[in-house]
Amino acid sequence: MYRSLTSLSFRVCRHNRGTLTSQRLPPKLRRASLPPHQPRSSSWHCHTRWYNSQVLAALASSTESLPGMAAKMLLGRGDAYEGFIVSADDLPTSPEEFHSQLEHSLQDWTTSGKKGIWITVPAAKSQLIPIAVKHGFDFHHAERSHVMLTRWLPTSENTLPPNASHQVGIGAFVMNSKGEVLVVQERFGPLKGSGVWKMPTGLVLAGEDITEAAEREVLEETGLEATFEAILAIRQSHKAAFGKSDMFFAVALKPVDDTQPLVAQATEVDGVKWMPLEDFASNPFSATKPLYNKLIQQCVAYANGTYKGMKASVMNSGRGDRVELLMHGSESPKL
């Protein structure tokens, strides 16, 4: 790489010792100026070496590449933590080309002091994964469409954030105007065939608020449209599905129309009905389990008006137009 830079700078110097105008260089390098004109002498080679140092310095701080060099490097962008995120769209399809570009890039990233390297490999280019692994990349996570690989370049402790540690679920406490609670029986899962009636539950989808997930799950499992009112309890557990931790939110909702007919979701639910609050509270399944018994008590207290739970507000985060969900106490603090 440096040999090609030297020959290029010498040709430019010979034809134009003034302001560099060669279109073969990126704009940042085209603006570089050479020392004042001097006769060709022993100092000529000093000027060439001086210009070479300017080329290398500018190239090190530029996101552009000289013609021919771009083909040897993986494209992408630096992140806010002195790392580099490789562009998935610009990955080559050829394993041989990827191998060459990755080797050149690793040399450049190491020399320039980059730390964490992130490569997203689309499923359509999965043939590149073994090559990255052979070059020291680890699996970070996988989705339906891609695999994320990372490598920590410094000899210091790896501080890259790990994959997501939790899955998030909801349970919906819905009560109608008659004081009855909406309950379902599972078609599949650990409670299948047990005869246990429970609140509708489900997982929160990526990009979905807790409040939205609760409303969606109730509609899907029971056919009832309901709106969010409060968060009643939060349960955390570990060693759940796939070895991840688990967060569960018990959420209170209010029916839009509690005379609406209930329709059980055929693929997940065996039955759906309204159950008297007293029967819901004395369910033998939860009565023998301290944690679930406490959760049910929170629901009953909310139904009786002695507990208000937490509210949820969608608010601007102060980062452009981005909005986020804030869960907070129902009473506004006195300032």
Side-chain angles (χ1 to χ4, degrees):
M1 177 176 77
Y2 297 149
R3 207 164 39 242
S4 62
L5 286 174
T6 302
S7 61
L8 175 59
S9 62
F10 184 85
R11 289 197 299 273
V12 173
C13 290
R14 185 177 63 184
H15 295 297
N16 182 5
R17 299 191 192 110
T19 301
L20 181 63
T21 59
S22 172
Q23 296 301 310
R24 297 186 60 192
L25 293 172
K28 189 167 187 175
L29 304 188
R30 289 202 295 268
R31 290 192 295 269
S33 296
L34 300 176
H37 170 73
Q38 293 185 16
R40 185 176 299 185
S41 63
S42 60
S43 63
W44 171 254
H45 297 291
C46 294
H47 298 157
T48 301
R49 287 195 298 273
W50 174 87
Y51 180 67
N52 287 343
S53 68
Q54 303 305 300
V55 170
L56 294 175
L59 183 60
S61 61
S62 175
T63 57
E64 301 177 75
S65 300
L66 292 173
M69 287 184 62
K72 298 180 180 179
M73 302 285 288
L74 293 171
L75 301 179
R77 60 181 176 83
D79 62 24
Y81 304 94
E82 300 180 2
F84 191 85
I85 302 172
V86 175
S87 170
D89 293 337
D90 294 308
L91 285 175
T93 56
S94 164
E96 294 76 15
E97 186 178 358
F98 177 67
H99 179 275
S100 175
Q101 290 185 4
L102 182 58
E103 286 198 336
H104 281 87
S105 298
L106 284 170
Q107 293 175 9
D108 180 77
W109 294 331
T110 302
T111 301
S112 61
K114 296 297 183 186
K115 295 181 178 179
I117 310 300
W118 301 81
I119 301 181
T120 300
V121 182
K125 298 180 181 180
S126 59
Q127 67 272 19
L128 307 181
I129 296 174
I131 299 171
V133 171
K134 288 181 180 179
H135 283 78
F137 281 80
D138 298 320
F139 290 94
H140 187 266
H141 69 269
E143 299 289 347
R144 290 177 181 269
S145 61
H146 68 270
V147 169
M148 173 69 78
L149 302 169
T150 63
R151 179 174 169 184
W152 182 254
L153 296 181
T155 56
S156 58
E157 179 185 359
N158 185 344
T159 59
L160 290 177
N163 184 24
S165 60
H166 286 67
Q167 69 174 8
V168 182
I170 62 91
F173 178 72
V174 187
M175 194 169 69
N176 63 16
S177 57
K178 299 178 182 179
E180 298 171 323
V181 180
L182 183 67
V183 292
V184 299
Q185 281 188 335
E186 289 186 347
R187 179 178 291 272
F188 303 103
L191 296 180
K192 174 186 176 182
S194 65
V196 172
W197 291 92
K198 66 177 190 66
M199 64 176 68
T201 59
L203 292 177
V204 179
L205 304 178
E208 186 177 45
D209 286 343
I210 302 293
T211 53
E212 296 170 337
E215 294 172 351
R216 173 184 55 77
E217 283 291 346
V218 169
L219 182 60
E220 288 178 354
E221 292 195 0
T222 72
L224 181 71
E225 186 177 357
T227 56
F228 169 83
E229 284 200 322
I231 293 172
L232 306 182
I234 304 171
R235 186 268 292 144
Q236 182 183 30
S237 66
H238 304 291
K239 297 181 180 179
F242 312 111
K244 300 295 183 181
S245 298
D246 183 273
M247 295 286 285
F248 179 84
F249 291 77
V251 181
L253 293 92
K254 181 178 180 179
V256 173
D257 178 8
D258 57 18
T259 65
Q260 180 182 350
L262 301 178
V263 181
Q265 184 180 19
T267 56
E268 294 189 19
V269 175
D270 255 345
V272 55
K273 69 176 183 178
W274 292 106
M275 173 183 284
L277 180 62
E278 296 77 12
D279 295 344
F280 177 76
S282 60
N283 189 326
F285 174 78
S286 58
T288 59
K289 298 173 176 60
L291 185 146
Y292 289 101
N293 189 43
K294 179 64 175 179
L295 190 152
I296 296 300
Q297 290 177 18
Q298 297 295 101
C299 294
V300 173
Y302 179 81
N304 292 332
T306 58
Y307 173 59
K308 293 183 178 181
M310 298 176 66
K311 299 302 180 184
S313 303
V314 176
M315 306 180 70
N316 184 282
S317 65
R319 293 183 286 175
D321 295 330
R322 179 169 177 165
V323 293
E324 299 174 359
L325 184 70
L326 177 68
M327 289 165 276
H328 54 88
S330 58
E331 299 296 334
S332 299
K334 295 180 180 180
L335 301 178

